[in-house]
Amino acid sequence: MTVARRPAAALRGSSWLPWMFLAPALLFAAMFKFFPMLEGIRMSLYKVQPFLGDEWVGLENYATVLADQRFRDALGHTVVLGVGQTVGALVVGFGLALLLEGQARSLWILRTAVFLPVVTAIAVIGEVWRILYFPTDTGFVNEILGAIGLGPFGYLSDPDSALASVMAVGIWTGAPYDMVIILAGLAGIDRTLYEAAAVDGVNRRQRLLHIVLPGLRPALTVVLTLAAIRGLRIFTEVYVLTGGGPAGSTEVWMTRVYSLGFERNNLGVASAASMLLLLVTVMLTVAVRLITRSREAR
């Protein structure tokens, strides 16, 4: 018994052992996340001039971003897309979770089919939806709407409908992800509450309001936090579907950063815009955590 305890005691006493296992992950995180982040902070304070040497400009790049009308428009589009996609994906994901909750094998197959957009590359999803949105009467969506006397619509080529069309793709992509988290929350609700509600003659609406939604509060907090961050960082869908057009009607913060940094080579201003986005994301995350803790403490 003494011999068996020695290795375990030795392992517990080795404080370096956990760090040894964490070392590869920490190394990769430092190389591909923290060092680029520090370099981005440095570049945001300089006028970046490859081959000529960087010139210190202080906070001028940040002032340029805040005074730029296109950045303001992009911020508005980002907020609209973020709120629309967050609410839409949450409502659709919640409905899917209620429909697909259960232990039947057929439900597992349906869940897998519904979850497919989450594991599909966003670029592929964007190309598929570009085909579906083809803006003539022979396009797939227009052909379906034409059967009931609607359309054809321009979708991505019309400045008035392009943002809503991109939002629909974001909801279609994000809803299955929200569904999985909400399903996990539904599984954590005590089943005896449902049985007690049935005995008391509680209807479905009352059960939803007084049992399901309070039980899902932690899961909904996670969903809202992740969806809000995802909405602020939206890039690939917009870039693949519209590239920020037509006429800048779908340009969001990240596509504006990409345009400045990699097309106009204005890396200093693009870095400043990225740092501002990072700051807003951190503030949003901290605010959600503080609100959640205050509610849990009540």
Side-chain angles (χ1 to χ4, degrees):
M1 188 172 179
T2 305
V3 174
R5 284 179 178 176
R6 282 179 182 171
L11 289 175
R12 283 196 299 269
S14 302
S15 59
W16 52 267
L17 191 61
W19 292 104
M20 187 184 72
F21 287 107
L22 286 173
L26 292 175
L27 180 63
F28 279 103
M31 289 178 60
F32 297 108
K33 180 171 286 187
F34 298 116
F35 288 159
M37 187 185 300
L38 293 175
E39 179 64 9
I41 294 173
R42 186 195 69 80
M43 291 170 64
S44 70
L45 301 173
Y46 284 83
K47 180 181 180 182
V48 180
Q49 304 175 111
F51 309 113
L52 297 176
D54 298 343
E55 178 184 341
W56 169 263
V57 294
L59 298 177
E60 185 178 324
N61 288 332
Y62 290 91
T64 301
V65 172
L66 296 175
D68 187 355
Q69 184 60 43
R70 290 191 62 177
F71 263 115
R72 294 178 186 171
D73 295 340
L75 177 61
H77 298 153
T78 304
V79 172
V80 171
L81 271 181
V83 173
Q85 290 186 0
T86 299
V87 175
L90 179 61
V91 172
V92 176
F94 185 70
L96 289 172
L98 292 179
L99 289 173
L100 300 179
E101 184 193 14
Q103 299 297 324
R105 184 178 294 275
S106 59
L107 291 178
W108 283 100
I109 297 173
L110 284 174
R111 287 176 197 159
T112 304
V114 171
F115 193 70
L116 277 178
V118 179
V119 296
T120 305
I122 298 296
V124 175
I125 291 174
E127 289 299 331
V128 170
W129 275 92
R130 279 170 60 87
I131 298 172
L132 297 177
Y133 276 148
F134 197 69
T136 67
D137 54 0
T138 59
F140 182 80
V141 178
N142 274 331
E143 198 165 357
I144 292 176
L145 294 178
I148 56 175
L150 297 177
F153 298 104
Y155 301 109
L156 302 174
S157 60
D158 186 348
D160 295 329
S161 61
L163 196 63
S165 302
V166 174
M167 188 186 299
V169 177
I171 293 172
W172 183 81
T173 308
Y177 187 81
D178 294 352
M179 177 197 73
V180 172
I181 298 176
I182 294 171
L183 277 173
L186 288 173
I189 297 176
D190 189 354
R191 294 288 163 179
T192 59
L193 295 175
Y194 294 136
E195 297 170 2
V199 171
D200 293 338
V202 172
N203 59 36
R204 289 186 178 181
R205 178 177 169 277
Q206 291 172 326
R207 189 174 68 176
L208 180 67
L209 291 177
H210 301 292
I211 298 177
V212 176
L213 290 180
L216 284 177
R217 188 176 296 168
L220 293 178
T221 302
V222 173
V223 167
L224 287 173
T225 305
L226 295 178
I229 294 172
R230 193 168 60 228
L232 287 175
R233 297 167 57 188
I234 185 171
F235 171 74
T236 309
E237 297 98 318
V238 176
Y239 186 76
V240 173
L241 286 168
T242 65
S249 60
T250 61
E251 188 171 59
V252 292
W253 195 270
M254 287 299 295
T255 56
R256 181 65 179 152
V257 170
Y258 178 86
S259 173
L260 280 176
F262 296 100
E263 294 177 359
R264 300 186 182 182
N265 206 28
N266 197 345
L267 294 175
V269 176
S271 298
S274 300
M275 290 304 110
L276 288 174
L277 179 63
L278 174 64
L279 180 63
V280 172
T281 305
V282 171
M283 291 172 61
L284 177 66
T285 306
V286 172
V288 171
R289 289 302 305 161
L290 290 176
I291 293 172
T292 305
R293 284 187 180 182
S294 65
R295 288 183 176 177
E296 289 174 351
R298 292 176 183 172

